[in-house]
Protein backbone atom coordinates (compact mmCIF):
# COMPACT_ATOMS: atom_id res chain seq x y z
CA UNK A 1 0.00 0.00 0.00
CA UNK A 2 1.19 3.49 -0.81
CA UNK A 3 1.98 5.13 2.55
CA UNK A 4 0.10 8.27 1.44
CA UNK A 5 -3.14 6.39 0.80
CA UNK A 6 -4.55 5.90 4.30
CA UNK A 7 -3.40 6.93 7.75
CA UNK A 8 -5.06 5.98 11.03
CA UNK A 9 -4.49 8.46 13.84
CA UNK A 10 -6.04 10.06 16.90
CA UNK A 11 -7.38 13.61 16.98
CA UNK A 12 -5.81 16.00 14.49
CA UNK A 13 -6.91 19.66 14.14
CA UNK A 14 -8.87 20.11 10.91
CA UNK A 15 -6.49 22.73 9.52
CA UNK A 16 -3.58 20.31 9.92
CA UNK A 17 -5.59 17.36 8.67
CA UNK A 18 -6.42 19.11 5.39
CA UNK A 19 -2.82 20.01 4.53
CA UNK A 20 -1.37 18.15 1.57
CA UNK A 21 -4.51 16.32 0.47
CA UNK A 22 -6.30 16.39 -2.88
CA UNK A 23 -9.90 15.51 -1.95
CA UNK A 24 -12.01 15.31 1.22
CA UNK A 25 -14.25 12.28 1.76
CA UNK A 26 -16.96 12.97 4.32
CA UNK A 27 -20.54 12.40 5.40
CA UNK A 28 -21.16 16.11 4.79
CA UNK A 29 -21.10 17.64 8.25
CA UNK A 30 -21.16 21.43 8.26
CA UNK A 31 -17.75 21.83 9.90
CA UNK A 32 -16.00 19.51 7.49
CA UNK A 33 -17.72 20.97 4.41
CA UNK A 34 -16.90 24.54 5.46
CA UNK A 35 -13.30 23.61 6.31
CA UNK A 36 -12.86 21.91 2.94
CA UNK A 37 -14.36 24.87 1.10
CA UNK A 38 -12.19 27.31 3.04
CA UNK A 39 -9.16 25.22 2.12
CA UNK A 40 -10.15 25.09 -1.58
CA UNK A 41 -10.54 21.31 -1.50
CA UNK A 42 -13.07 19.36 -3.56
CA UNK A 43 -15.12 16.70 -1.82
CA UNK A 44 -16.82 13.35 -2.17
CA UNK A 45 -19.83 13.30 0.14
CA UNK A 46 -21.95 10.43 1.41
CA UNK A 47 -24.60 12.37 3.36
CA UNK A 48 -26.06 10.55 6.35
CA UNK A 49 -28.72 12.24 8.47
CA UNK A 50 -29.29 15.57 10.17
CA UNK A 51 -28.16 18.56 8.09
CA UNK A 52 -25.77 16.51 5.98
CA UNK A 53 -28.02 15.95 2.93
CA UNK A 54 -28.62 19.70 2.69
CA UNK A 55 -24.91 20.49 3.09
CA UNK A 56 -24.04 17.91 0.45
CA UNK A 57 -26.70 19.20 -1.94
CA UNK A 58 -25.40 22.77 -1.62
CA UNK A 59 -21.77 21.68 -2.10
CA UNK A 60 -22.76 19.70 -5.20
CA UNK A 61 -24.73 22.69 -6.53
CA UNK A 62 -21.57 24.78 -6.18
CA UNK A 63 -19.71 22.16 -8.20
CA UNK A 64 -17.34 21.48 -5.31
CA UNK A 65 -18.50 17.95 -4.47
CA UNK A 66 -19.47 14.65 -6.01
CA UNK A 67 -22.27 12.88 -4.14
CA UNK A 68 -22.40 9.14 -3.60
CA UNK A 69 -25.16 6.93 -2.23
CA UNK A 70 -23.14 4.13 -0.65
CA UNK A 71 -19.67 3.44 0.74
CA UNK A 72 -19.01 1.21 -2.28
CA UNK A 73 -19.27 4.26 -4.55
CA UNK A 74 -16.69 6.36 -2.69
CA UNK A 75 -13.71 5.12 -4.74
CA UNK A 76 -15.44 5.95 -8.00
CA UNK A 77 -16.42 9.35 -6.57
CA UNK A 78 -12.83 10.12 -5.65
CA UNK A 79 -11.64 9.07 -9.11
CA UNK A 80 -14.29 11.31 -10.69
CA UNK A 81 -13.24 14.32 -8.61
CA UNK A 82 -9.54 13.76 -9.30
CA UNK A 83 -10.13 13.35 -13.05
CA UNK A 84 -12.35 16.41 -13.41
CA UNK A 85 -10.59 19.72 -12.68
CA UNK A 86 -13.93 21.53 -12.46
CA UNK A 87 -14.35 20.32 -8.86
CA UNK A 88 -11.00 21.83 -7.84
CA UNK A 89 -11.74 25.04 -9.74
CA UNK A 90 -15.14 25.38 -8.04
CA UNK A 91 -13.57 24.71 -4.62
CA UNK A 92 -10.95 27.41 -5.27
CA UNK A 93 -13.72 29.84 -6.28
CA UNK A 94 -15.62 29.06 -3.07
CA UNK A 95 -12.47 29.60 -0.99
CA UNK A 96 -11.97 33.01 -2.62
CA UNK A 97 -15.56 33.96 -1.85
CA UNK A 98 -15.15 32.88 1.77
CA UNK A 99 -12.11 35.15 2.17
CA UNK A 100 -14.27 38.15 1.24
CA UNK A 101 -16.85 37.43 3.96
CA UNK A 102 -16.89 39.27 7.25
CA UNK A 103 -15.35 37.33 10.14
CA UNK A 104 -17.82 35.75 12.57
CA UNK A 105 -16.88 38.07 15.46
CA UNK A 106 -17.59 41.10 13.27
CA UNK A 107 -20.97 39.70 12.21
CA UNK A 108 -21.83 39.01 15.85
CA UNK A 109 -20.93 42.59 16.80
CA UNK A 110 -23.09 43.93 13.98
CA UNK A 111 -26.02 41.78 15.03
CA UNK A 112 -25.67 42.82 18.67
CA UNK A 113 -25.70 46.47 17.62
CA UNK A 114 -29.05 45.89 15.92
CA UNK A 115 -30.62 44.52 19.10
CA UNK A 116 -32.65 46.95 21.21
Amino acid sequence: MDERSVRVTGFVPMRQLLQGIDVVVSSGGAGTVLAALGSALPMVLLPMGLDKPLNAERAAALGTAALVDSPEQVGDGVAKVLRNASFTTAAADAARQITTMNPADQVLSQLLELMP
Side-chain angles (χ1 to χ4, degrees):
M1 180 190 320
D2 182 343
E3 69 182 51
R4 297 175 302 156
S5 298
V6 176
R7 292 192 180 122
V8 177
T9 185
F11 175 78
V12 177
M14 185 64 78
R15 183 174 303 197
Q16 182 181 346
L17 185 64
L18 295 178
Q19 292 176 0
I21 65 168
D22 297 316
V23 61
V24 172
V25 177
S26 164
S27 63
T32 303
V33 169
L34 290 172
L37 291 175
S39 298
L41 291 169
M43 297 168 275
V44 173
L45 301 175
L46 172 59
M48 299 166 59
L50 304 172
D51 63 334
K52 296 171 184 178
L54 178 60
N55 299 336
E57 179 184 304
R58 295 305 307 141
L62 286 173
T64 62
L67 305 185
V68 296
D69 298 318
S70 72
E72 295 78 19
Q73 295 174 342
V74 170
D76 289 339
V78 169
K80 176 181 178 180
V81 168
L82 293 176
R83 275 194 317 266
N84 190 335
S86 68
F87 289 100
T88 301
T89 300
D93 289 344
R96 277 191 291 279
Q97 290 176 22
I98 289 169
T99 64
T100 68
M101 295 177 179
N102 292 331
D105 58 345
Q106 182 181 354
V107 172
L108 176 61
S109 294
Q110 292 170 333
L111 290 173
L112 291 173
E113 288 174 10
L114 295 174
M115 293 181 67

